[in-house]
Amino acid sequence: MPDPREDLRATEESIRHDAEHVQSLEEEKQALDPTDPQIAHLSAQVERLTAGLKDKAVAERELSDEVQTTK
C-alpha cells in the first residue's frame, strides 16, 4: 500500500530538483548572447519543466491534504 508521506517527500524532492534545473538553465541562458540560437532550445526546456511543475504542485497539495486527514 502506498505511503502518502513518502509520496509527499518524493514529490517535494522532485519539485526542488526541477526548480534547481530551471535555475541552472536560466543562468546558462543569461551567460549567452541574446542572439545565440541555443537560447531557444534552453527556453523550450524551461517551458517543459515549468509546465510539469504545475502538475507536481497539484499532486503535492493533494498528498499534503491526504497526510493531514490521516494524522
Side-chain angles (χ1 to χ4, degrees):
M1 183 164 156
D3 180 357
R5 290 175 189 263
E6 287 180 25
D7 291 344
L8 178 59
R9 281 190 215 97
T11 302
E12 290 168 343
E13 179 59 31
S14 180
I15 288 171
R16 268 192 300 279
H17 177 266
D18 286 354
E20 289 169 358
H21 193 186
V22 167
Q23 182 177 355
S24 174
L25 291 168
E26 289 297 336
E27 289 170 358
E28 189 175 343
K29 282 178 15 183
Q30 188 176 20
L32 297 173
D33 184 278
T35 61
D36 189 319
Q38 182 67 8
I39 288 182
H41 173 70
L42 294 171
S43 292
Q45 287 182 305
V46 169
E47 186 176 358
R48 180 183 51 78
L49 283 166
T50 56
L53 279 170
K54 181 177 189 239
D55 294 337
K56 290 178 184 183
V58 169
E60 180 184 40
R61 181 186 44 77
E62 290 171 351
L63 286 165
S64 180
D65 290 347
E66 184 177 348
V67 167
Q68 290 296 318
T69 61
T70 60
K71 274 183 156 180

